[in-house]
Amino acid sequence: MRNRRALMLAGTAVALSIALSGCSAINSILGSGSGDADRDEETGQVTESANVDVFSVKVGDCMLDTGTGTLTDANVVPCTDPHDQEIYHEIIMEDGEFSEDAINAASEDCIGDAYTSFIGVAYADSAFDVTTITPTKKSWEQGDDRILQCVIVDPAGQTTGSLEGAGR
């Protein structure tokens, strides 16, 4: 397994440290951007670039680089525009005590069947990197945040269009 792949698993909880969900209780705890983006009524796809509350980001959304650390907002763009990241899968964590070990274990699902189904080749054979957006202890305990989102990134730079079915 290539080094960048090992780093993904080791740094999953650190790379991006808050999961995305529509929970308004979490929004009030953390504060953030301007609600949700304008979306196509039929497809749910973002139609205009917007800085949104991080808990408004959904599977299928494309974003500009979110950086590292705790996120409160995200810059979403239509996937037809150049972007750095795309959310392709979501994992709902089981209730219980907050555990970084459990989150790290669950994040491995991001590079399993969900990845292969989305890209069209196994993670080990692909050209892309994966990171996650995960709950923090605060969002877990105070906001019932249980959503872990899988984010695909092209290490070569920005992409235009969805990477779904890219086959590389």
Side-chain angles (χ1 to χ4, degrees):
M1 189 173 265
R2 291 176 260 185
N3 188 32
R4 68 183 168 97
R5 307 229 185 248
L7 288 175
M8 175 268 167
L9 293 175
T12 290
V14 176
L16 297 172
S17 63
I18 198 162
L20 306 176
S21 115
C23 182
S24 62
I26 298 171
N27 293 342
S28 66
I29 291 168
L30 299 176
S32 56
S34 65
D36 199 3
D38 290 335
R39 295 179 179 277
D40 180 273
E41 288 184 28
E42 290 181 26
T43 66
Q45 295 296 304
V46 171
T47 58
E48 291 185 37
S49 299
N51 178 266
V52 299
D53 180 283
V54 71
F55 298 102
S56 298
V57 181
K58 300 169 177 46
V59 171
D61 283 356
C62 295
M63 303 180 298
L64 299 177
D65 186 15
T66 55
T68 60
T70 302
L71 302 176
T72 58
D73 61 331
N75 293 313
V76 296
V77 297
C79 290
T80 55
D81 291 354
H83 56 275
D84 302 297
Q85 304 169 336
E86 181 177 355
I87 298 173
Y88 69 93
H89 183 65
E90 190 171 85
I91 300 164
I92 309 289
M93 300 289 298
E94 292 185 23
D95 284 338
E97 294 294 315
F98 176 81
S99 166
E100 284 190 28
D101 289 339
I103 289 170
N104 286 335
S107 72
E108 292 186 30
D109 288 347
C110 291
I111 59 172
D113 292 341
Y115 185 90
T116 303
S117 294
F118 184 74
I119 293 298
V121 297
Y123 181 68
D125 298 325
S126 76
F128 304 111
D129 288 334
V130 170
T131 190
T132 57
I133 302 173
T134 65
T136 63
K137 184 172 176 137
K138 182 177 180 178
S139 68
W140 184 280
E141 292 175 352
Q142 296 179 12
D144 257 353
D145 183 9
R146 303 292 186 269
I147 299 174
L148 183 153
Q149 289 186 311
C150 305
V151 182
I152 193 162
V153 178
D154 187 341
Q158 288 189 324
T159 60
T160 302
S162 175
L163 292 174
E164 185 173 10
R168 56 183 175 101

